[in-house]
């Protein structure tokens, strides 16, 4: 079921617009898009291990830029765009809780949740709502996103061939697990 999409992403990794497409997905995921950039990052690094660091850099920089937009949505657009996104993710009751929690644990929340399958856009918007210091927010977002994307790139660069073979033999299983992690990330945010 997922083979055509996987093959398409592998082919696109060699396309001249592959990095801008990855940047777009990474930017959007940090502010409003539900699919994490790993869906493109992993196949792109597997297809072009020689460009692993460049791919991870593009993914990181775009993600942090998207995080700035997510922060702005929470900070300045809470009453319009922010409310719309909060309603989509059923987060109305969580806003006051986030603000209180951010006052005490904001840095740890940003660093930890940036590494997990919890959608990063929720962290960026919540950071803006809590009016977490913007400069510190960008620094922490850069650290956590770089750690995530460069770790994935490093592992795939080092162990790419066996990992690619392993994934391709079990592609449907990995795709369903990946989708499951996304759903669990949303569920964890909604239920916690």
């Amino acid at each position: 079921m997922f083979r055509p999409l996987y093959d398409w992403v592998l082919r696109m990794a060699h396309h001249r617009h592959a990095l801008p497409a990855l940047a777009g997905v990474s930017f959007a995921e940090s502010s409003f898009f539900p699919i994490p950039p790993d869906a493109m990052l992993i196949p792109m690094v597997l297809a072009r291990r020689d460009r692993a660091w460049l791919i991870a850099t593009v993914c990181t920089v775009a993600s942090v830029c998207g995080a700035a937009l997510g922060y702005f949505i929470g900070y300045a657009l809470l009453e319009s765009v922010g409310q719309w996104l909060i309603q989509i993710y059923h987060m109305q009751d969580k806003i006051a809780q986030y603000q209180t929690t951010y006052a005490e644990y904001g840095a740890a929340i940003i660093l930890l949740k940036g590494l997990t399958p919890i959608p990063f856009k929720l962290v960026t918007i919540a950071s803006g709502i809590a009016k977490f210091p913007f400069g510190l927010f960008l620094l922490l977002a850069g650290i956590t996103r770089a750690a995530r994307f460069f770790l994935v790139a490093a592992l795939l660069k080092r162990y790419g061939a066996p990992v690619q073979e392993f994934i391709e033999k079990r592609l449907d299983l990995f795709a369903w697990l990946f989708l499951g992690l996304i759903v669990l990330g949303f569920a964890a945010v909604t239920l916690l």
Side-chain angles (χ1 to χ4, degrees), residues 150-172:
F150 277 89
L151 177 63
V152 169
L155 290 172
L156 293 174
K157 182 174 177 64
R158 174 77 168 99
Y159 303 106
V163 169
Q164 185 171 3
E165 183 180 329
F166 185 79
I167 289 173
E168 287 180 356
K169 284 183 180 177
R170 296 158 187 86
L171 185 60
D172 284 340

Side-chain angles (χ1 to χ4, degrees), residues 3-190:
R3 175 68 56 188
L5 179 61
Y6 177 79
D7 291 340
W8 177 79
V9 174
L10 285 177
R11 282 191 311 274
M12 286 303 297
H14 296 283
H15 194 276
R16 63 188 171 109
H17 297 298
L19 287 175
L22 175 64
V25 168
S26 189
F27 177 88
E29 186 271 339
S30 290
S31 49
F32 60 87
F33 191 61
I35 307 298
D38 306 71
M40 288 184 72
L41 174 74
I42 292 169
M44 285 179 68
V45 172
L46 286 173
R48 297 292 309 266
R49 287 191 293 279
D50 60 312
R51 299 181 75 188
W53 306 131
L54 175 62
I55 293 167
T57 300
V58 168
C59 202
T60 300
V61 170
S63 182
V64 173
C65 290
L69 175 60
Y71 183 97
F72 178 74
I73 290 169
Y75 185 86
L77 300 177
L78 178 60
E79 296 305 317
S80 58
V81 177
Q83 286 297 334
W84 174 71
L85 287 172
I86 289 166
Q87 289 173 358
I88 286 176
Y89 296 115
H90 307 289
M91 297 293 297
Q92 298 87 338
D93 299 334
K94 304 290 184 186
I95 298 306
Q97 180 184 358
Y98 271 127
Q99 289 173 326
T100 303
T101 304
Y102 261 78
E104 193 170 345
Y105 304 109
I109 290 170
I110 294 165
L111 288 171
L112 292 175
K113 291 190 177 187
L115 295 172
T116 69
I118 291 172
F120 196 56
K121 76 196 82 359
L122 300 177
V123 173
T124 66
I125 293 169
S127 296
I129 291 169
K131 308 223 181 324
F132 192 82
F134 184 67
L136 181 57
F137 166 76
L138 285 180
L139 175 66
L140 296 171
I143 291 168
T144 193
R145 299 315 265 180
R148 177 175 168 175
F149 300 138
F150 277 89
L151 177 63
V152 169
L155 290 172
L156 293 174
K157 182 174 177 64
R158 174 77 168 99
Y159 303 106
V163 169
Q164 185 171 3
E165 183 180 329
F166 185 79
I167 289 173
E168 287 180 356
K169 284 183 180 177
R170 296 158 187 86
L171 185 60
D172 284 340
L173 174 65
F174 278 100
W176 284 113
L177 286 172
F178 186 72
L179 288 174
L181 284 174
I182 293 170
V183 170
L184 285 174
F186 278 105
V189 168
T190 312

